[in-house]
Amino acid sequence: MMKLSLGTYALGISGAVAVAIAQPAYAQTSIVTAVQLIQTDTGLSLTLESAAETPLQTFINRSGDSIVVDIADAQLQTSEGDTFQQDNPVDGIASITVKSLATNRIQVTIVGQSTAPEIAIDQQAGNLIFAVSTVDSDPVDPTRDPLASEQTDESEAEFADEAPLRLVVTATRTEEAIDDIGRSITVIDREQIEQQSIISADLADILGNLVPGFGPPNQLRTTRGQTLRGREAAVLIDGVPLSTNFRVNRQELRSIDPSAIERVEVIRGPSAIFGGQSTGGVINIITRRPVDGEAIIETQAGVSASLGDLEDDGFGTNLSLNASERADRADIRVSLSREETGSFFDADGNRNVSESSLSDTTSYNLLGKIGYDISEQQRLDLTLNYFNAQRETEFIASPATLLIPGRQTAQALRIRGLDREDNPEDISFLTNLSYSHNDLLGSEVRSQLYYQDTTARGEFADGRLGIDFFPFLFQSRLDSDRWGGRLQVETPLTGDETLNLLWGADYESQRNQQITAQFDADTFDNEQRLVTLQEFDFTPPYRVNSLGLFTQLDWEASESWLLRGGLRYENINLDVDDYFSVTRQRDIEGGSRSFDDVVFNASTVYQPAEEISLFASFAQSFSVPEFSRVLRLPPAGFVSVEDDFDITQPIKVTEYELGVRGNWPSFQTSLSGFYNTSDLGSSLVPNENGLLSIQRAPQRIYGVEATLDWQPADTWGLGGTVGWSEGENDVDRDDDYLPLNSGEIAPIKFTAYVENETLPGWNNRLQALIVGGRSRAADEGVEPLEIESYATLDFISSVDVGPGTLQIGIENIFDTQYFPAIAQFLSGFDDRNYVGGRGRTVRLMYSVEW
């Protein structure tokens, strides 16, 4: 009765919300769609553009050298996000910040360098104009045009006609407006991250729901099946690369909690400017920075429940704390979070027992950032990020499913009383020291030094069924540590900065190793305890050093035409000592190998109108395959690293892309098509042992991506994305191309949403994910089974309650039974991977800003 009662209750909520959404709003929240900042002879003019018919209500507070203006019943919704910030815009002003707050208001903070500036506020045709004065003068007349002073001098009038300061992205290594980027790019801002986190706190799932070209959510601790345009993406935190050569189980996107993230920038397609492992694109995670002014503390607390059988272990909790303060030249931010996921159940009540599942996981994240302004031009930042996620469960996928003919849903096998000292876990520690100088001999200089240490311990496995070379009980652990540095210099070559040169160097050294423990079978069978018999190197220690030198030239040929082009030289070295292969039971002679190449990039953006951008690009990237897969399972005849390592030849990808972006006040859209090739690509295919092995062959991948967002009224928004790609390779090199498997090429993916501010402070959103079927690879015999289509619907609601905001998320509101695309693909080789997606799950979150 409990299952029926709660399920009916959840559907009742959905129906009530659907009815509420259909009702007209009783009041409207004013939407600020753009922020303009222009210098005047007495300071600055700050304009908040809005189509509001009623005046915006403002409340002014002064504290020390700061002025804080609260704007009631308003939200900032520009194309770049819900926060605008400019540091040191003019002499006398340290910073200006405009941001949306959870209490349905906009806060404008203006910080003076020594004393608080004078301001006057004027409302003109829906726009709110701040005249900010930093010099001693007569009081500003709030009725006059704050830009009128620019008309008194010809040179000042010309300056006033310049484009306003714009929000920028940094995934291209330099600060650029989105409209100036000749590539497909997706920016997920803080508001979207908070919204999507109520459905899943896993960043990979958030990207899967929002980014076209990125594989659909897989609900795993790894990114299996989540390629970017069918290839590997480089993952960075604040510009520091996280992707190592050891990609047995990629967990880079699970090395930071979403509560610590300000935004995520995704550039789709290969990148010559960032170098290795970016053949599919770049995912740059920007952590939350300290805010100016007095201390701000944000707290969040939440609970979740899987509404399957509503068992005790299906409940989860979430807690986070963010604190930030800036005083004088120093600033600090600390983010703490703890999440306990609980067990996952599909719509039929089956427990998720995938060895890479996110279920039954407790994770902790600590982010600390300290910044210091050495001078007006120089800044030093130190960032520390620690992430620890441990999975503790008494259930594993029963090996007995391997003995049943046909595809079987993975069944849970309970190991009662199991004493687990070494739970599956992911641990990452990253420290990053960065220095910037905005004017060093006329150039802008950025440098970084970083160190990272990671450990990934896998699930306990019973290899007595299905794994020929490990027919015993075992568990593997991946250890990797790396350090590196980055330096880049941007130099204007003309006085008007229409021609700029970017150049620099990247260096990194990493060490990787995989250790496997063998357990005593008799003790396990009789006493259900794990006793270690031995530990050995499954993958021997190996070192990878890389050096990249790059340069790029930007030319603003006219106000509507931008050209960009550059090149990168990459050198990668592999070093392995002599070792014994436990899988082949023979000695392997070590050695060193070196790989290098030059890659190029070129792009152009043309704006025939202010709202429309046409772009085209030619992009290349250079990478190497995962050495560990060859070292731990060497092919027949492999006896020497130096003499027999041809399978590790580099991967060089070339991509051509055409696209268009449209950006109107209430309508935004994009459409792009791409085609990329590699003379010697690298894909992972399951072998006879059920493991993934490297397959090298010529490849070609092509696809189409589109996005659409429409705001038909102040309180309504709707839109969606579509991403389709297809790929093939020529294994026999006979010009007869076969499709790539569905672990590399994801099926077509559609997303759609509709959202409404039903009442002031109450927002609701319905979002759908539709993953199409893919049969081409199965029809051609590349994989055993075709991928079947599926669809899910989620509901998100947020409402202002008391001093904070209450969020409600219902995942899979119709309790649809489905199997994620990657689970379907892997089940063709091992039924223990055939695990259903999460059934109806409810999450509640309450957040307060102090």
Side-chain angles (χ1 to χ4, degrees), residues 95-225:
S95 67
I96 291 182
T97 304
V98 184
K99 65 178 181 179
S100 290
L101 299 182
T103 52
N104 201 37
R105 58 194 172 98
I106 294 176
Q107 188 175 84
V108 179
T109 304
I110 305 173
V111 181
Q113 291 178 341
S114 57
T115 60
E118 296 292 330
I119 69 167
I121 302 177
D122 185 27
Q123 181 106 25
Q124 295 183 2
N127 295 339
L128 200 61
I129 304 174
F130 295 71
V132 184
S133 175
T134 60
V135 298
D136 293 332
S137 60
D138 295 332
V140 181
D141 182 0
T143 63
R144 73 171 177 88
D145 183 356
L147 303 184
S149 58
E150 278 92 293
Q151 312 302 320
T152 61
D153 184 90
E154 182 178 353
S155 61
E156 292 174 351
E158 293 175 353
F159 184 84
D161 289 336
E162 292 180 3
L165 299 174
R166 295 174 292 178
L167 297 180
V168 296
V169 297
T170 58
T172 54
R173 298 196 77 139
T174 59
E175 295 183 345
E176 299 179 51
I178 292 178
D179 290 340
D180 292 340
I181 299 176
R183 309 285 302 278
S184 291
I185 184 170
T186 300
V187 178
I188 303 172
D189 59 29
R190 179 68 206 154
E191 181 181 6
Q192 291 173 295
I193 293 171
E194 289 180 345
Q195 185 182 68
Q196 294 298 317
S197 294
I198 196 64
I199 295 297
S200 173
D202 179 48
L203 181 58
D205 284 356
I206 293 175
L207 297 183
N209 279 323
L210 298 179
V211 179
F214 190 75
N218 62 14
Q219 302 174 9
L220 300 177
R221 57 189 277 233
T222 71
T223 53
R224 281 184 176 180

Side-chain angles (χ1 to χ4, degrees), residues 536-585:
F536 53 86
D537 289 338
F538 185 20
T539 302
Y542 68 96
R543 293 162 293 281
V544 179
N545 300 323
S546 61
L547 173 66
L549 306 174
F550 63 89
T551 184
Q552 181 171 278
L553 189 66
D554 292 359
W555 178 34
E556 188 176 346
S558 68
E559 292 184 358
S560 58
W561 189 21
L562 179 66
L563 296 167
R564 177 176 291 117
L567 58 87
R568 180 185 180 94
Y569 168 76
E570 190 90 22
N571 182 279
I572 300 176
N573 290 281
L574 167 70
D575 187 27
V576 187
D577 294 333
D578 295 344
Y579 71 97
F580 178 76
S581 171
V582 295
T583 59
R584 299 304 188 193
Q585 291 296 300

Side-chain angles (χ1 to χ4, degrees), residues 344-354 396-413 785 788 817-820 823-824 826-828 830-838:
F344 294 167
F345 298 88
D346 64 18
D348 288 342
N350 298 311
R351 184 183 294 270
N352 188 315
V353 288
S354 169
I396 64 172
S398 174
T401 57
L402 299 174
L403 304 177
I404 305 174
R407 183 161 66 179
Q408 306 295 322
T409 302
Q411 297 298 313
L413 174 64
L785 302 169
E788 298 179 355
Q817 175 70 349
Y818 72 98
F819 293 86
Q824 296 187 53
L826 293 175
S827 70
D830 189 332
D831 284 350
R832 288 175 293 185
N833 295 302
Y834 197 50
V835 177
R838 286 191 290 261

Side-chain angles (χ1 to χ4, degrees), residues 722-773:
V722 59
W724 170 82
S725 62
E726 189 52 78
E728 51 226 8
N729 60 0
D730 183 9
V731 178
D732 298 326
R733 293 173 172 78
D734 57 0
D735 292 329
D736 183 15
Y737 280 77
L738 293 175
L740 290 169
N741 66 61
S742 298
E744 304 283 334
I745 302 297
I748 187 172
K749 183 184 72 173
F750 300 89
T751 67
Y753 73 91
V754 58
E755 56 188 15
N756 172 253
E757 184 185 16
T758 311
L759 292 173
W762 182 26
N763 296 278
N764 297 285
R765 175 184 173 107
L766 286 172
Q767 62 182 37
L769 170 71
I770 304 171
V771 179

